[in-house]
Amino acid sequence: DGFYTLKIGATDMGTGCDTSMTQIAAETLLADIDQFIVAGVDTDISPFDPGSYASSTTYVTGMAVYNAACDLKNKIITAGAKMMYPERFLDETDKVNPKKFYFDGSRVMEVSTGKTIALHDIAVHCAGTSDGNYLNGTGFYSSPVSPPPLMAGFVEIELDKETGKFDIVDYVGVVDCGTIINSNIVRGQTEGGICQGIGLAMYEDVQYDAKGRMMTDSFMQYKIPTRIDIGHICVEFESSYEDAGPFGAKSIGEVVINTPLPAVSDAIFNATGTRFYELPITPEKIAMAVAEREKEQA
């Protein structure tokens, strides 16, 4: 039917990689995203992928998808040219000059004459041949470099020196992750990472008893921030282009959790004059530090 099936080995763990990989393939093949079906990951049939970790999915797997789409695009052009001129390409080894034909997403056209053949007709012909020579493209990518994403974080807090209690009022995160493939996914990852970082700074405290048993083994004891605990979050993106990434994209997964902790710690230092080096920074620790500082200054 002229539809595409995208088979990748990267697992979508909630990061939306199935969508972003489809967007990369669609952009390369000049197609609409609705023309794609993403096959669920199954290690029995999926292509090899090193894994959805280390911020590698969009950058590494994305380039493999791009290469596979380019491979398929070339095969579509070749198949279309041979269907238009079967007498010119009698042998399977006959090469098609890519400068004389091009693919616009829905048809293959000969540049000089304007003669065209639809993608649907190419797909039907290739799937219906006796040798089952349906069109498929494969791609591989391994990068010798890992260009880092960059992020700056700014936080405003309100702190009561008497009790040590403080609240996040505003948090601003500015991220450079190269070309943004999907703005909703990238913004969601950034906001989620900032929330996690705030949890590390303010709430999350793993405790063990004398026998090594974890005492904070439920959400009754192990606190994480809720929506009302994180204040107002503003996320902005700095535009850049990474030559080694798909359409200029870089990673974003881990960097977004890095700035909240030092930003919150610096804000508390500005409010109290005391540095904290153990997590989480609780109201009790702040109140005791403020009392000790005032005692020293008395």
Side-chain angles (χ1 to χ4, degrees):
D1 295 327
F3 281 76
Y4 300 98
T5 300
L6 177 62
K7 292 184 178 182
I8 55 175
T11 302
D12 193 333
M13 304 181 294
T15 58
C17 74
D18 284 0
T19 300
S20 55
M21 295 300 105
T22 302
Q23 286 181 266
I24 291 171
E27 183 74 14
T28 309
L29 289 164
L30 305 175
D32 191 271
I33 195 170
D34 292 334
Q35 292 176 249
F36 283 81
I37 299 168
V38 180
V41 175
D42 184 331
T43 53
D44 286 335
I45 59 174
S46 297
F48 173 78
D49 190 273
S52 302
Y53 63 91
S55 297
S56 63
T57 308
T58 298
Y59 178 66
V60 178
T61 306
M63 280 302 299
V65 169
Y66 172 78
N67 292 337
C70 288
D71 183 38
L72 179 57
K73 185 177 180 180
N74 291 333
K75 290 180 178 178
I76 291 172
I77 292 173
T78 297
K82 291 184 177 181
M83 285 179 65
M84 283 190 280
Y85 299 103
E87 71 284 353
R88 192 186 302 177
F89 304 101
L90 297 176
D91 194 283
E92 286 293 326
T93 60
D94 290 341
K95 302 294 183 183
V96 174
N97 188 341
K99 295 182 179 180
K100 294 184 178 181
F101 298 88
Y102 77 92
F103 178 59
D104 68 0
S106 62
R107 58 185 179 171
V108 173
M109 176 180 288
E110 186 178 25
V111 175
S112 60
T113 65
K115 185 177 181 181
T116 65
I117 185 168
L119 175 64
H120 172 269
D121 295 331
I122 297 172
V124 170
H125 174 80
C126 292
T129 54
S130 58
D131 58 357
N133 186 28
Y134 63 92
L135 298 178
N136 68 91
T138 58
F140 167 82
Y141 185 71
S142 178
S143 177
V145 296
S146 180
L150 305 171
M151 182 175 179
F154 309 85
V155 66
E156 178 186 356
I157 66 170
E158 287 183 350
L159 185 144
D160 184 340
K161 290 186 177 181
E162 186 175 348
T163 64
K165 184 179 184 302
F166 70 97
D167 296 306
I168 304 264
V169 178
D170 277 302
Y171 195 98
V172 176
V174 183
V175 185
D176 169 12
C177 59
T179 300
I180 296 173
I181 301 297
N182 186 299
S183 59
N184 288 334
I185 291 174
V186 172
R187 187 174 298 277
Q189 280 202 305
T190 304
E191 292 178 353
I194 289 172
C195 292
Q196 284 184 287
I198 291 172
L200 288 173
M202 297 177 61
Y203 302 102
E204 299 185 43
D205 188 13
V206 180
Q207 296 182 2
Y208 299 91
D209 63 17
K211 294 184 178 181
R213 185 181 69 86
M214 182 185 292
M215 296 186 292
T216 51
D217 58 357
S218 77
F219 288 125
M220 294 296 291
Q221 295 84 25
Y222 191 85
K223 304 299 182 183
I224 61 174
T226 66
R227 181 64 187 86
I228 62 175
D229 296 320
I230 58 176
H232 176 259
I233 293 180
C234 176
V235 175
E236 297 293 340
F237 298 97
E238 176 64 23
S239 179
S240 68
Y241 189 91
E242 173 52 50
D243 291 332
F247 299 103
K250 292 193 288 188
S251 63
I252 192 173
E254 277 81 3
V255 72
V256 292
I257 201 173
N258 294 341
T259 62
L261 171 57
V264 169
S265 178
D266 283 350
I268 294 172
F269 171 76
N270 290 338
T272 65
T274 301
R275 287 284 184 191
F276 293 88
Y277 299 99
E278 292 184 359
L279 300 178
I281 307 174
T282 61
E284 179 184 12
K285 292 178 183 179
I286 295 173
M288 292 177 64
V290 170
E292 183 67 24
R293 184 178 179 84
E294 290 177 348
K295 182 179 178 181
E296 293 174 355
Q297 294 175 345

